[in-house]
């Protein structure tokens, strides 16, 4: 603001006029707001006022009413900088140099080109630091076209690049361009990498920040100022991709309470106000990222904001082959890539990046070359699912399948056992995959049947193996976790439990917190799970031969699809049990 005020004074000094101008640049208060009172006080003076007001902060009604005219000052362009350097320093810089140093923050630029320093000394200093401002994300694929495993998000990004090109050329209006997207997925799936590649594909600047970075600035006023600064930086570098990470940390206003409730509400409201600047944000596409999309305030996801939500899953088999080629080089054969794709099941893009660094470090030490055996040696040691462990896992998954089929909860797509697992990733050893039927309104029995299916693996272990193992619980997404969430919803939302009330909960985190804080709810949920476990055990006991037949076939083949299971069950018609 100071530099703009000085520039205006220089311009006005050369304008022949009897009118006296006073240039006012209001200052921020501790809450991150501009002091409008300073402007209004100057209105009583003899001079005409020229007020500098940041375009990312709303102009108060009193100032708007007092203004005779309002003009938007465009962002500093290379030609402006070239002309200024020539006029002030008497030197000439080319377009490429001016464009490069404009990537620096304006305060840094003005500091480097200070009065009394030779201009080329300032340019040299700026050239040394411009590589790091704004933050740049290095991605191996460089562009979206070169990345694998992004599916629908990649298609969206390539379509956005085309729309931005049409907008730049004046063929479509900004209203026809998608202006926001929310990416969600497990940690390490490459949401940050996607933003960097998207910016390169779109030939746009990238401004990357996060909620934790805003929060680290200090109290409420500092945080709001940091938020505005990020948006101002993006607006000054149009076209721009503004990447906002950890959006779930802001929370949902409906869940705020206690001493921090007002603080958190003001933060969410501040972000909504910034996101809503339609004309101001022309040329800026906002990419939000989160690991927990259910924790985000719904208002942020409404039309005109981050209204496109795409989940980025962990990479599948073909994507892992492509990532292996990208990270470990072109010397690997197709057979090598298939071995790595199998061995890296459950890996995220971040896992590939970590392993590739270890591989490159080993190559530097040994002065060797990349081989599939070298890469495999850098992966966590595998544990083969075989022998007694394989039989235990097979019985568990067969229990899910038989209980689910007996209760007709949906279509059984497959039952499978992994050949090996790498424990640190938190993979499940096996899977019984049902597709729930689309029956419209669900009744209480359908929820209880689904809970019984989740308890079916534990029931089969108890009946067939005579003991139970840890695989049914102990992790997010486990059988007991999913059954607990269903039972909690029945008790506090759906009117299907012992009580009749409604508690607004939307996420697994909120359901878990409710069970922790309410002993009554926790006891009710436990009663449901114990009752359905007993029902599942009765079904397994009545159909033990079917469970064991599926388990034997699963041990032998590792994978059974729906028709395979039907053929195994043909000699074993499912019987009643306590359904």
């Amino acid at each position: 603001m100071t530099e703009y005020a000085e520039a205006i004074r220089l311009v006005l000094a050369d304008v022949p006029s009897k009118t006296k101008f006073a240039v006012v640049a209001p200052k921020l208060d501790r809450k991150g707001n501009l002091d409008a009172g300073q402007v209004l006080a100057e209105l009583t003076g003899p001079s005409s006022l020229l007020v500098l007001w940041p375009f990312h902060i709303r102009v108060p009604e009193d100032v708007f009413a007092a203004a005779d005219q309002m003009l938007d000052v465009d962002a500093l362009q290379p030609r402006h900088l070239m002309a200024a350097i020539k006029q002030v320093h008497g030197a000439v810089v080319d377009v490429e140099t001016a464009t490069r140093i404009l990537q620096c923050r304006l305060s840094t630029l003005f500091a480097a080109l200070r009065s009394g320093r030779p201009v080329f000394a300032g340019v040299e200093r700026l050239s040394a630091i411009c590589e790091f401002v704004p933050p740049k994300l290095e991605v191996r694929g460089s562009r979206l076209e070169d990345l694998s495993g992004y599916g629908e998000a990649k298609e969206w990004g390539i379509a956005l690049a085309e729309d931005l090109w049409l907008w730049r050329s004046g063929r479509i209006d900004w209203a026809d361009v998608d202006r926001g997207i929310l990416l969600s997925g497990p940690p390490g799936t490459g949401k940050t990498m996607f933003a960097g590649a998207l910016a390169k594909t779109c030939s746009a600047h990238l401004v990357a920040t996060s909620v934790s970075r805003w929060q680290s600035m200090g109290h409420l006023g500092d945080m709001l100022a940091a938020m505005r600064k990020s948006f101002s930086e993006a607006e000054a570098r149009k076209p721009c991709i503004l990447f906002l990470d950890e959006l779930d940390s802001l929370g949902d206003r409906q869940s705020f309470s206690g001493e921090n409730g007002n603080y958190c509400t003001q933060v969410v409201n501040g972000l909504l106000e910034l996101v809503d600047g339609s004309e101001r944000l022309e040329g800026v596409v906002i990419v939000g990222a989160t690991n927990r999309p259910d924790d985000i305030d719904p208002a942020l996801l409404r039309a005109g904001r981050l209204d496109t939500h795409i989940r980025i899953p962990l990479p599948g088999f073909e994507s892992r082959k492509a990532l292996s080629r990208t990270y470990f080089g072109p010397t690997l054969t197709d057979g090598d890539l298939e071995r790595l794709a199998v061995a890296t099941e459950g890996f995220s893009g971040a896992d590939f990046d970590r392993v590739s660094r270890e591989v490159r470090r080993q190559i530097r030490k040994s002065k060797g070359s990349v081989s599939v055996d070298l890469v495999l040696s850098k992966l966590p040691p595998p544990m083969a699912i075989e022998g007694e462990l394989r039989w235990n896992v097979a019985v568990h998954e067969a229990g899910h399948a038989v209980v689910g089929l007996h209760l007709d909860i949906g279509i059984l797509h497959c039952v499978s056992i992994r050949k090996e697992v790498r424990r640190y990733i938190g993979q499940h050893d096996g899977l019984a995959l049902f597709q729930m039927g689309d029956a419209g309104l669900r009744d209480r029995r359908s929820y209880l049947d689904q809970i019984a299916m989740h308890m079916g693996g534990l029931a089969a272990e108890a009946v067939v193996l005579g003991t139970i193992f840890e695989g049914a619980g102990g992790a997010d997404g486990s059988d007991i976790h999913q059954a607990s969430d269903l039972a909690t919803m029945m008790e506090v939302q759906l009117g299907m439990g012992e009580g009749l009330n409604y508690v607004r909960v939307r996420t697994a985190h909120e359901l878990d917190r409710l069970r922790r804080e309410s002993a009554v709810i926790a006891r009710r949920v436990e009663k449901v799970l114990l009752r359905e476990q007993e029902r599942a055990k009765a079904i397994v006991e009545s159909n033990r031969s079917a469970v064991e037949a599926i388990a034997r076939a699963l041990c032998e083949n590792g994978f059974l699809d729906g028709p395979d299971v039907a053929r195994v069950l043909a000699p074993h018609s499912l019987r009643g049990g306590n359904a």
Side-chain angles (χ1 to χ4, degrees), residues 10 24 95 120 128 166 178 219 285 348 383 403-404 418 451 513 516 533 553:
L10 291 173
V24 180
V95 174
F120 287 105
L166 293 173
D178 282 346
H219 59 71
V285 177
S348 66
M383 182 180 72
V403 173
R418 301 183 189 277
I451 293 173
R513 185 173 62 187
R516 290 173 182 271
Q533 182 184 15

Side-chain angles (χ1 to χ4, degrees), residues 385-403 412 414-418 428-432 456-462 464-465 469 471 479 540 544-560 565 568:
I385 306 299
E386 57 188 16
E388 183 180 357
L389 174 60
R390 189 173 182 83
W391 172 247
N392 294 345
V393 174
V395 167
H396 181 101
E397 301 307 329
H400 286 307
V402 168
V403 173
L412 178 62
C414 66
V415 188
S416 64
I417 301 179
R418 301 183 189 277
H428 297 293
D429 299 340
L431 175 70
L458 205 62
E461 291 178 10
V464 177
L465 305 177
F469 295 88
D479 297 334
V540 171
R544 178 167 180 164
S545 62
V547 171
E548 293 179 344
I550 292 176
R552 285 192 296 271
L554 197 53
C555 275
E556 181 178 350
N557 300 303
F559 179 90
L560 300 173
V565 173
V568 173

Side-chain angles (χ1 to χ4, degrees), residues 396-410 434 448-460 532-533 535-541 543 547 550 574 579:
H396 181 101
E397 301 307 329
H400 286 307
V402 168
V403 173
L405 288 171
H406 174 78
L407 297 175
D408 194 24
I409 70 164
F434 280 92
L448 293 176
D449 288 347
Q450 188 177 354
I451 293 173
M453 183 275 293
H454 284 303
M455 306 305 293
L458 205 62
E532 295 310 309
Q533 182 184 15
R535 189 158 69 109
K537 285 177 65 176
I539 294 171
V540 171
E541 288 171 345
N543 297 278
V547 171
I550 292 176
L574 296 182

Side-chain angles (χ1 to χ4, degrees), residues 523-536:
R523 284 195 297 271
R524 290 181 181 177
V525 168
E526 185 180 28
K527 285 173 63 177
V528 172
L529 265 59
L530 289 173
R531 186 170 61 244
E532 295 310 309
Q533 182 184 15
E534 288 304 311
R535 189 158 69 109

